[in-house]
Every structure is written in C-alpha cells, then in structure tokens.
Amino acid sequence: MARKTANDDPLAPVTLAVGQEDLLLDRAVQEVVAAAKAADADTDVRDLTPDQLQPGTLAELTSPSLFAERKVVVVRNAQDLSADTVKDVKAYLGSPAEEITLVLLHAGGAKGKGLLDAARKAGAREVACPKMTKPADRLAFVRGEFRSSGRSATPEACQTLCDAIGSDLRELASAVSQLVADVEGTIDEAVVRRYYTGRAEASSFTVADRAVEGRTAEALEALRWSLATGVAPVMITSALAQGVRAIGKLSSARGGRPADLARELGMPPWKIDRVRQQMRGWTPDGVAVALRAVAEADAGVKGGGDDPEYALEKAVVTIARAARSRGRG
C-alpha cells in the first residue's frame, strides 16, 4: 500500500508520487482525480508523458482560465523531462496556480533528483510507491487490500493467494477484488485454492514446498510449469531459500506450542504447523547440503552460470534428496 506524507489532502497544489510500482503510481493519480471530480464534476484532466510536456507547455496548461475551471495536470516519468522543461516545473512549484493540481510521477533515484528535491522543498504532498520486491511486502499488500474492502481473510488465505499469483500487484489486487465480490464471509485458504489452484501449482512456493517435502518429480514438474508461465528464476531461488531456512530454524528450536515458536522464530503459527510436517526426514547435514545447493542456484540464475534452468533443476533435486536423508541413514 502506498505511504503518504502528513499532508494527506489529495487536492494539495502539488502531489509527488515516488517509486516504480505502477499500480501504486496509478492509484495515486486516481485518488487525486477522484477528489478533484468530487469537488467539480467538470474537472479537466491532462495526463502527459515527458515528450508531451515541452518547454512552455506547463505555463500554457496552468494559465488562468476565463471560467476558472478546476484542472489536474499529471506528468508521468518526471525524471525524464528535458532540462528546459524542468526549469518550467521548478518555477511553477514556487507559485502554483489556484484550482489546479499538479501530479508528478517520479521513479526516484539519481536521475532527475533536482526536480525531486525541488518538489519536496516546495512542500509537495508525497506518496511513496516503492517496488514491492519482498514476499513480506506483497503479503502485507494483500492483507491491506482485504482490509480496505471491509472483508476479512485468514493468514493462510493471504499467503496462498500470494503463492498462487506471484509478484504482479495488479493481478493480486484483481484477485482480491474477485474473491471479495464472489465469496461471502471470511475468505479462507480452501476458497483461494478453489479459485486459483492452477496458478498455485505454478508458483515458486509450490516448487519449494514439493522440494523440501522430498517429492522430486512433483517439484520438477512445478518448476517447469513456473518457468513456462513466466515466474522469474530469482523468485524460485528465494522461495527455495525460505523453505530450507524454515526447516533449519524449526529443527534447531526447542519444542513448544506453535504460538510460542512463532514468536521465537518470526513465523506465523500456521506456518509452524506446515514446516513441522515438511521437516520429517531432514537432518542437520541435509539442511547444510540444501543451503549450499540454494546458494549455487542463486549464483547460477544471477549470471554465474550459463543455464539458469539447469541450476534450478539441480538445486531442486539436491534439496529433495536432502529431505529424505534421515530415511537413507
């Protein structure tokens, strides 16, 4: 979910949306446009790319209107504006026009940082739209989507949905909307699996689950399906690493109730139960072997090898064998 500054008025003279998460950037724009149209249904909205905002264009768009109409001017990829246009924008920031809301979408980073700094110095309302690269961030996003819709979903349901859909926030948001529209009451894991079972089988976490359970053939099948449907190899190595580390953490922890172990290990209680089932057959040596396999695969998919798919297959087979190491001993 996008984070906002203390100045949370969408009709502030200038809104600065910073980040590279397209869904959040679009929502930042939609929020401003919706507020403007609520204030004036005839609001004129201009949505511009850098090549459409030439020197002098902003002054033309923000010049006083005979009818004093409300206007929203959206500038996408503001970091790519030409130097002369940046001068125009900076000048406008010093004296924004009434009844006009300027929305600057900026990727962040070093490129175009002067404009970013100028907008912040001018007191622009800022909305953070960072790319959600961590599974925990996407899980929090899904939970937030359910909360904002006024619906409840179990932790297992949220995790299963993330596993099934993957890293695309638009698809995650769409899936939540569909579930909210179609399902009454609390949304649980069984419902999510019924709706997205095909996608779940193709997820990186399904690959990891089958591997740490020692189910080699199923893990390889899920791996090939995942790659064929566009799951990034680095997401698969991340899921494998999480799966093996969870086995290692729980196997070295003292016995206790899931709730106590959850606090100790930083896992939700439902995951403690799942990992307990998966860790049968594992030995400390097996965990060490699996972790080395994950590290080698990670290097392979990040440019250290010629064939990322082979690196992943090798890791999956090694992990699945390690999962059965106690039985072989």
Side-chain angles (χ1 to χ4, degrees), residues 200-236:
E201 293 302 319
S203 76
S204 55
F205 286 98
T206 299
V207 178
D209 284 342
R210 299 298 85 81
V212 299
E213 290 162 4
R215 295 153 68 177
T216 308
E218 294 176 44
L220 289 172
E221 181 181 0
L223 171 63
R224 289 162 190 150
W225 194 355
S226 295
L227 294 172
T229 54
V231 176
V234 68
M235 295 296 295
I236 298 173

Side-chain angles (χ1 to χ4, degrees), residues 69-228:
E69 63 180 351
R70 182 177 290 279
K71 187 179 293 184
V72 175
V73 178
V74 180
V75 180
R76 297 185 181 270
N77 298 311
Q79 72 278 358
D80 296 329
L81 292 172
S82 69
D84 288 338
T85 303
V86 168
K87 290 180 182 178
D88 287 353
V89 177
K90 287 182 176 179
Y92 177 81
L93 292 173
S95 183
E98 292 185 12
E99 300 299 312
I100 291 177
T101 300
L102 175 65
V103 184
L104 298 173
L105 274 56
H106 195 292
K111 187 176 183 182
K113 190 173 184 297
L115 178 57
L116 194 62
D117 292 342
R120 286 169 171 162
K121 186 175 181 180
R125 167 183 178 258
E126 186 168 343
V127 181
C129 306
K131 199 75 175 174
M132 294 192 180
T133 57
K134 297 179 180 179
D137 292 338
R138 292 190 290 275
L139 182 59
F141 171 79
V142 167
R143 288 172 175 164
E145 291 290 288
F146 280 118
R147 279 197 302 271
S148 64
S149 67
R151 296 293 298 279
S152 60
T154 66
E156 296 90 339
C158 294
Q159 183 64 63
T160 300
L161 190 62
C162 289
D163 292 351
I165 300 300
S167 60
D168 191 312
L169 246 57
R170 289 188 190 279
E171 291 193 28
L172 284 169
S174 176
V176 170
S177 296
Q178 181 180 6
L179 289 166
V180 166
D182 293 354
V183 180
E184 295 183 357
T186 299
I187 295 163
D188 59 19
E189 182 179 7
V191 169
V192 176
R193 288 196 180 279
R194 187 165 69 245
Y195 271 71
Y196 297 101
T197 183
R199 296 295 297 272
E201 293 302 319
S203 76
S204 55
F205 286 98
T206 299
V207 178
D209 284 342
R210 299 298 85 81
V212 299
E213 290 162 4
R215 295 153 68 177
T216 308
E218 294 176 44
L220 289 172
E221 181 181 0
L223 171 63
R224 289 162 190 150
W225 194 355
S226 295
L227 294 172

Side-chain angles (χ1 to χ4, degrees), residues 156 250 253-274 276:
E156 296 90 339
L250 192 54
R254 297 176 181 176
R257 297 179 304 167
D260 296 331
L261 287 170
R263 285 192 293 271
E264 180 184 344
L265 303 178
M267 298 181 193
W270 64 265
K271 189 169 184 180
I272 296 291
D273 291 334
R274 177 182 292 180
R276 269 180 169 163

